[in-house]
Amino acid sequence: MRKLISSITVFLLGGILLTTFFTMPEGAKELSDYYISSGVVDTGAINLITAILFDYRGFDTLGEATVIFAAACTLAFLVPKQKVHMLSARFSVIVQQSISFILPFLFVIGMYLIFYGHLSPGGGFTGGVVLASIVILTTITFGISYSDRQVRPRVKSLLESFGAIGFVIFGLFGIFAGGAFLANGQAGFDLGIPGELTSSGLIPYINFMTGLKVAAGLSIMFTSLIKEE
Amino acid sequence: MGIILHVLLVFSVLIAIFAVSTKNLLNSVIAMSVFSASFVIIFIVLQAPDVALVEAVVATGITTGFFVITLNKLEGVK
């Protein structure tokens, strides 16, 4: 009986969503047309998604970064960390050697995604998650005590706070230059030539701060969750 | 192009049904990982490389890691 009711609910919900999808109106296309036609001129970033994330909608990105910051802070505050207990899994030499072979390449990929966020697909969030996966792989393979010795928890919390404060300070630059909060091209910053590494004003720096924040925040979350009383 | 998209959509529905209906939690987690992997290809076919990157890194990597760690912690619980 319960299965029948739940399956009817699921089918009803799916039908509603499907009809909504197929009868969806085209919506306001002026805004997306504006982004596509004059996004590069306004922001200097070739990758329009980064232009929207870190310039037009920079305040929303600050909110998303705050969510990760709050989650990491709450986990680090709530989870006890007196006694460290690691998983019972033991890996062979092959796994350890191949993981330690992969790690530098992962670091390069993460840094590439962060620094080329305004030129190619990627950005601060993706690169930060790749950087956090380095700490996670080290923790799973070599144990929590080794990982904590390599990247100290104090360093991680310092990096996270640095990223959060740096994001806000780069946003305040816009106010000091006479524009709005997180303003970039509107505040008169030099946008450079679109397509170069140091182009598009403040976007690469904000990208870097977001990447540091996300990497440190996710690794703090993981190392807090893996510890046990 | 269209054939790949439709095959992957049907495959992801089948994988999702398997992930819900299987009794073993680890199988379910791995099935969700495969589901995300098929969505990565769907996003690339739909020309959204940014979303595909995020999906590949977050859903296939980090989320599976968190779930496996949680299952490892819950070993004694049935």
Side-chain angles (χ1 to χ4, degrees):
Chain A
M1 192 59 198
R2 270 181 57 199
K3 275 190 175 176
L4 189 72
I5 291 176
S6 40
S7 57
I8 287 174
T9 315
V10 165
F11 275 114
L12 224 69
L13 206 63
I16 290 173
L17 286 178
L18 210 62
T19 48
T20 317
F21 176 72
F22 279 121
T23 59
M24 201 157 40
E26 276 292 303
K29 289 205 58 170
E30 296 88 15
L31 196 59
S32 56
D33 282 341
Y34 175 76
Y35 285 150
I36 292 170
S37 60
S38 58
V40 177
V41 181
D42 276 355
T43 64
I46 294 179
N47 186 13
L48 281 178
I49 295 164
T50 306
I52 291 172
L53 271 181
F54 291 98
D55 192 324
Y56 291 117
R57 296 280 179 267
F59 198 67
D60 293 356
T61 311
L62 183 61
E64 288 170 27
T66 313
V67 169
I68 293 183
F69 185 71
C73 285
T74 315
L75 273 177
F77 177 68
L78 282 181
V79 176
K81 49 184 166 183
Q82 295 91 12
K83 200 173 161 193
V84 170
H85 172 264
M86 192 39 211
L87 318 166
S88 54
R90 282 276 166 271
F91 292 106
S92 64
V93 181
I94 300 172
V95 176
Q96 296 184 354
Q97 286 297 316
S98 54
I99 289 294
S100 48
F101 181 75
I102 282 175
L103 289 182
F105 295 101
L106 271 182
F107 190 80
V108 171
I109 289 176
M111 280 300 174
Y112 171 83
L113 284 177
I114 290 175
F115 281 112
Y116 280 73
H118 56 297
L119 301 179
S120 60
F125 273 98
T126 324
V129 176
V130 172
L131 289 186
S133 75
I134 295 176
V135 177
I136 292 175
L137 278 178
T138 320
T139 311
I140 290 178
T141 317
F142 298 104
I144 183 88
S145 54
Y146 180 81
S147 160
D148 267 355
R149 241 183 298 128
Q150 293 300 313
V151 188
R152 295 211 174 80
R154 192 179 293 270
V155 175
K156 273 182 279 193
S157 44
L158 180 72
L159 276 181
E160 182 174 29
S161 310
F162 179 72
I165 293 171
F167 197 127
V168 177
I169 285 178
F170 277 123
L172 288 179
F173 276 1
I175 294 182
F176 293 144
F181 184 64
L182 279 169
N184 184 18
Q186 297 91 333
F189 289 114
D190 184 23
L191 292 183
I193 306 161
E196 285 190 356
L197 187 56
T198 54
S199 65
S200 69
L202 289 181
I203 288 179
Y205 308 108
I206 296 179
N207 245 331
F208 181 61
M209 289 300 170
T210 317
L212 278 187
K213 228 197 87 42
V214 172
L218 276 179
S219 37
I220 285 175
M221 278 189 206
F222 190 80
T223 46
S224 315
L225 278 178
I226 212 170
K227 284 170 185 172
E228 219 169 52
E229 200 168 11
Chain B
M1 197 69 97
I3 289 179
I4 298 176
L5 183 64
H6 288 102
V7 166
L8 279 173
L9 283 174
V10 172
F11 179 68
S12 59
V13 169
L14 293 181
I15 284 287
I17 290 173
F18 174 75
V20 172
S21 61
T22 182
K23 295 288 181 206
N24 191 346
L25 282 178
L26 194 60
N27 284 354
S28 175
V29 170
I30 300 298
M32 283 314 288
S33 176
V34 175
F35 177 80
S36 313
S38 76
F39 255 73
V40 171
I41 307 174
I42 288 175
F43 282 134
I44 288 176
V45 170
L46 294 177
Q47 301 186 356
D50 272 85
V51 190
L53 260 175
V54 174
E55 181 86 16
V57 172
V58 175
T60 314
I62 297 276
T63 313
T64 312
F66 272 95
F67 270 126
V68 170
I69 293 297
T70 313
L71 286 183
N72 192 299
K73 294 264 177 195
L74 294 175
E75 243 171 1
V77 185
K78 280 293 171 210

